[in-house]
Amino acid sequence: MKKVRVFAPASIANMGCGFDVIGLALDEVGDILEITMSEGDGLTITNQSGVPLPEDIEQNVITPVVRAFLKKIGQKAQIDVTVCEKIYPGSGIGSSAASSAAAAFGMNELYGCPLSEEEVVMCAMEGENLASGGYHADNAAPAVMGGIVLIRGYEPLDIIQLPVPGNFYCAVVHPHIVVATKEAREILPKAVPMHDAVRQWGNVGGLIAGLYSGNIGLVGRAMQDHVAEPYRKSFIPGFDDLRAKVLGAGALAMNISGSGPSVFALCDHRTSAEAAGFLMKKHFDSLGIGSEVYVVKVSNKGAKLTGITI
Ligand code: HSE
């Protein structure tokens, strides 16, 4: 028998312009799993997190991740997973990716790291597919690898870690509105008009250039989304007004976090992130919508081992 305890962080997908190709990891907040491997052939998942999760393990994102890992390495085992700490599902900070990344990373650690980091991300993407109906890695890759990542290509997977300049903080507000990732993906058109595509790739290039040169003004103005946001912002009451207020208060950018309904402001220090968080909460309060706010530093760290028992 062997047991590991692993942590994988929360994350924010898209960073505005990078639909399905850019994501960042957040500090401190995340999921903790304990995974035990013993002789046999089976899987159990016990939830001790206090956060409601599906009872049917076929509906839990951890299940396809564990199965994909074992299939990839051609092994069978009895795997028992305990969910110790969990980001609330639907909070918009990569809850399903944190579990998926922790499961994939933990399985790899249990077996002595037979898979590369990219292969670990591929296993984690199986959980994302169950949760959202799509193989996207813009939460799973930062949750495994940390920092800000670019998925340059999916076939084959080509992930590039980008520099994280200075003290980047995110204020994330989770309004109590339900937007399922599946639904938020299904409403998107299948084709993007050339005019919007041109603006989008200009922004993606600008964002990458801004990160490499440490030009945070460029980072902020490049975080504009002409592909998904026009369709998704109708889920978020008063989105444009809120953005005007948050940018007026000094945030570098404000965008939908992943597929929403959470919204995040990127700021270059904690104080302005706290001010943005306060404004975002006040906005939803004024509309009679409850919300939670997290002010979290962008992290260079991804999934990590926090304990091992042999
Ligand atoms: N890139 C994905 C989307 C992230 O925007 O649908 C889901 O959190």
Side-chain angles (χ1 to χ4, degrees), residues 102-122:
F105 179 85
M107 290 297 291
N108 202 36
E109 291 291 327
L110 271 176
Y111 280 87
C113 298
L115 300 191
S116 69
E117 233 178 9
E118 283 190 351
E119 289 171 320
V120 170
V121 173
M122 280 162 82

Side-chain angles (χ1 to χ4, degrees), residues 147-234:
I148 303 177
V149 299
L150 167 72
I151 298 109
R152 196 221 40 92
Y154 278 89
E155 291 167 15
L157 197 59
D158 184 2
I159 304 174
I160 297 155
Q161 271 192 295
L162 303 171
V164 184
N167 277 341
F168 269 3
Y169 281 86
C170 287
V172 190
V173 64
H174 172 218
H176 296 166
I177 311 164
V178 178
V179 179
T181 302
K182 258 187 188 144
E183 188 193 348
R185 293 179 77 81
E186 278 164 12
I187 61 152
L188 300 179
K190 299 286 170 269
V192 176
M194 181 62 83
H195 173 69
D196 292 333
V198 169
R199 293 198 287 173
Q200 197 83 358
W201 58 56
N203 282 324
V204 172
L207 175 54
I208 306 298
L211 292 172
Y212 272 99
S213 61
N215 181 342
I216 56 170
L218 175 56
V219 169
R221 65 178 196 276
M223 285 173 64
Q224 294 182 43
D225 176 16
H226 301 289
V227 168
E229 184 188 288
Y231 301 91
R232 289 175 167 177
K233 70 178 180 183
S234 57

Side-chain angles (χ1 to χ4, degrees), residues 13-14 18-21 128 132 136 138-139 181 184-185 188 228 232 257-260:
N14 300 344
F19 178 75
D20 277 2
V21 298
E128 290 292 76
S132 70
H136 58 91
D138 49 343
N139 288 109
T181 302
R185 293 179 77 81
L188 300 179
R232 289 175 167 177
S257 176
S259 58

